[in-house]
Amino acid sequence: MKKLGLFVVVIALAVPFLWWPSIAQGRDGIALFSQYLGLGALIAMAFSHLIATRWPGVEALFGPLDQSYRLHKWLGIGAMVAILLHDTIDAEMRGLGRETALVELAETLGEISLYGLLILVVITIATFVPYHLWKWTHRFIGIFFLFGAFHYLFILKPFKNGDPLGLYMVAVCIIGTLAYIWTSAPRGLRPRRPYEITRVTKEGNAVAVDMTSQGRPLRHQAGQFAFFRFSGAGLGEPHPFTISSAPADDGALRVTIAPLGDLTTRVSRNLAPGQAVQVDGPYGRFGRAKGPQIWIAAGVGITPFVALAQALAEDAPQVTLVYSVRDTNGAAHIAELQNLAASKANLSLVVWQTSELGRFSAAALPDIVPDCTNRKALFCGPVQMRRALSSDLPKYGIAQKDFHFEEFEIRTGLGIRRFGRWLWDRHGQQILKEAQDNAQ
């Protein structure tokens, strides 16, 4: 993600401490720190809601949407930790005034916000919870932010809402509230591009969905993705899909969908020509690397590379596309890519069939691309394969800074399983061996 966005978040979290010296005089420092934790939680949540709007400028500030959403997730988790500490550390101070019914209501809403957010954060990081259920419950996070804002505005505190710090926090609450209202507004009030499906074709184990604009068309660059709402198939929730076609003058789009989960399975089975589609985007910056490149795709991860191959200019540097598939019968767009490689002198296609050659790894690159040193590598495919390539590519002359990919995951966990595997690989086997030796 962009350092500028992280810098803005850090500065925003640090601003309240400008007034700490004056406010802290004669006050309980621990209680004041607890109150500041509450302010930090509100700031983090406001930024999280801001990123969720996907407003123009969000990617410019925080980085491509896949990276912005990672920050969105960690801001939410950080806010939850701050709220838990705020609730644990006594924030009450003497001499702040008399409690009223409004203050009691603010305290009650603060407690509701705490437990509500805790439940929703657990649902978010528990990736085994079905996507549609998570998506539905995720909407309530904004309501708990509003409860938290009300709690802040009317709770007893060592400064007034009209003081500089108070006005700063009021602005934070307003930004977060506006962002939540925007993301919760009826779909008809948010800008969407109307499209209609013109063709649905089988592409190996996936389906390719062609669509034409019914109004102002989407203008995208090869490698980008958008959110698609296939309302004609009775699927109301928008879902991100990479656009698998290069930009067209008439704005026509194509997405390629593999039945990998509950939603994508339903989508691939229920789409038909004539159905309406609402499109929000485009997003992402994948494929913007310069110079000679190696593209590595696995499975439906081929989608951005199909669009990039279509858009590859005649004078562009040499590109080698490695397409890892189980077999060619299940490979999407294989014939199209073969035709593109035959017509473009600067595009080479290598189809790696795992049923014959085994899993593709970085060790195979020198045989495929003898001059792979100092090339940039672009990848789209399974997470495990990406991690293996990221670890091994430097051994063959491709630095990690030259390995580009999108974490195309709107919802992710905390990486606990990955940490557990790393811990077992590093220490677990040795401990087990020592235990076996002792037993003998």
Side-chain angles (χ1 to χ4, degrees), residues 170-186:
V170 167
V172 167
C173 293
I174 291 174
I175 292 172
T177 300
L178 291 176
Y180 170 62
I181 291 173
W182 174 263
T183 55
S184 302

Side-chain angles (χ1 to χ4, degrees), residues 92 197 257 283 350 396 400:
E92 291 188 9
I197 296 176
I257 304 171
Y283 301 103
V350 176
Y396 303 95
Q400 285 193 340

Side-chain angles (χ1 to χ4, degrees), residues 73-74 77 125 127 387 412-423:
K73 178 189 76 172
W74 287 109
I77 293 172
I125 62 179
T127 52
R387 290 171 179 163
T412 59
L414 288 175
I416 295 175
R417 291 183 181 178
R418 183 183 176 191
F419 175 74
R421 285 194 298 268
W422 173 85
L423 194 63

Side-chain angles (χ1 to χ4, degrees), residues 298-322:
V300 77
I302 194 63
T303 50
F305 297 116
V306 178
L308 289 167
Q310 290 178 353
L312 188 67
E314 293 182 0
D315 59 348
Q318 186 67 32
V319 170
T320 299
L321 169 57
V322 181

